[in-house]
Amino acid sequence: MMPQPVGKSGMCLKYFVVAGTDELVIIDILSHRTVAQRQRIKEAYKQAIGKDLADDLSSELSGNFRSVALGLLMLPPVYDAYELRNAMKGAGTEEACLIDILASRSNDEIKAICAVYKKEYGKSLEDAICGDTSGMFQRVLVSLLTVSKHSAPFPLQLLKNTQFLSSIIYEAGEARWGTDEVKFLTVLCVRNRNHLLRVFEEYQKISGRDIEESIKREMSGSLEDIFLAIVKCMKNKPAFFAERLYKSMKGLGTTDSVLVRIMVARAEIDMLDIKAEFLKMYSKTLFSFIKGDTSGDYRKILLELCGGE
């Protein structure tokens, strides 16, 4: 997505309110500006007509197209907090949203999300998660919120002994009857990326299996999903998102919540890398998948965010 000058974007968006909705103008402006530029457009729009751009878009648009447009107007931690709130609001929980966000964000990003969540929704994200999830899945989510998994220092002796940590995971799963999930949590949630990658290598030597294969053998449901997400994000985050996008569109129907969330959140971060991984993994372009699985203005704005073949 190539950013364009803000220019008269605020006035162009003012025009669609006065003269009727022009979806192509909305798509062009929102999908070809950076997050910072879109914030300035929001300010210019409010100054020009005294109304909030998000409110007007919400009343003028509908469906998944509206979800994408509104998401693009938010700062990243605000959007993540908003998605987490929606995932836990009302009856039921969208575990996939909690996993996608909390397993993939950096420590600094997690801190920003927690601060926004507290400010916007009047309670801590940890309290919200504890009130909406349970068991070991809840404990993993809380651990991801509270530890510096990407940057925390750890004892030098552990740096020198990745085999020790690998053996902890092996003995907690493959080497025993049943699974000690706490030991998986202890290792996977509190080490930084470089160290974990070395642990994964040692684990394969000890067990003869890739860590992902062992997680699939030892666990199930949301707990399996979140441990796999942690490992995949540590190994190759763009590939993780490429797989999530593929699964959201393959077969009958589309999981639009996943498709929208990833396309909005990753558009300015690693979309080029995600596209490259998607092509390598599935021998088809992300652009072609989106084009074949969506329609209308929703398709148009997603394809603009994708940035071509």
Side-chain angles (χ1 to χ4, degrees), residues 63-259:
N64 294 316
F65 178 44
R66 175 172 61 188
S67 297
V68 176
L70 294 178
L72 290 172
L73 288 178
M74 300 180 195
L75 291 168
V78 176
Y79 182 65
D80 283 343
Y82 170 80
E83 286 289 292
L84 290 167
R85 165 73 169 176
N86 283 344
M88 295 183 283
K89 186 171 62 176
T93 305
E94 187 193 350
E95 288 88 356
C97 176
L98 305 183
I99 293 169
D100 284 353
I101 293 175
L102 297 182
S104 67
R105 301 313 191 248
S106 71
N107 192 55
D108 287 342
E109 288 169 337
I110 292 289
K111 289 179 180 178
I113 293 166
C114 288
V116 169
Y117 198 97
K118 177 72 172 179
K119 179 181 178 182
E120 293 293 325
Y121 306 114
K123 66 189 300 186
S124 72
L125 180 54
E126 181 176 339
D127 285 346
I129 286 172
C130 288
D132 215 63
T133 60
S134 61
M136 185 56 61
F137 180 59
Q138 177 191 103
R139 291 176 65 174
V140 177
L141 292 172
V142 171
S143 182
L144 291 174
L145 285 181
T146 56
V147 301
S148 299
K149 61 183 182 297
H150 294 272
S151 56
F154 38 84
L156 182 61
Q157 63 267 29
L158 290 184
L159 262 176
K160 295 178 178 178
N161 196 359
T162 55
Q163 187 175 7
F164 171 69
L165 292 176
S166 304
S167 65
I168 288 179
I169 302 177
Y170 177 65
E171 291 167 6
E174 294 284 359
R176 57 174 284 167
W177 181 261
T179 306
D180 186 345
E181 293 96 347
V182 174
K183 289 183 179 177
F184 275 83
L185 182 157
T186 300
V187 174
L188 294 180
C189 293
V190 300
R191 308 297 171 193
N192 76 6
R193 179 175 184 270
N194 290 335
H195 193 47
L196 269 180
L197 292 178
R198 290 165 59 187
V199 170
F200 297 158
E201 291 176 1
E202 288 296 328
Y203 180 84
Q204 185 145 20
K205 295 176 184 177
I206 294 171
S207 68
R209 289 192 176 94
D210 184 87
I211 183 66
E212 293 178 43
E213 183 183 351
S214 289
I215 290 172
K216 292 175 184 177
R217 285 165 53 90
E218 295 292 327
M219 300 176 195
S220 61
S222 296
L223 188 60
E224 175 188 342
D225 291 339
I226 194 164
F227 277 133
L228 284 175
I230 292 168
V231 171
K232 289 176 180 179
C233 285
M234 288 292 177
K235 287 183 175 181
N236 187 334
K237 194 178 294 184
F240 168 74
F241 285 119
E243 180 183 16
R244 296 290 290 128
L245 287 168
Y246 174 77
K247 288 182 177 180
S248 77
M249 292 182 282
K250 75 169 185 176
L252 295 176
T254 304
T255 310
D256 293 296
S257 60
V258 175
L259 178 57

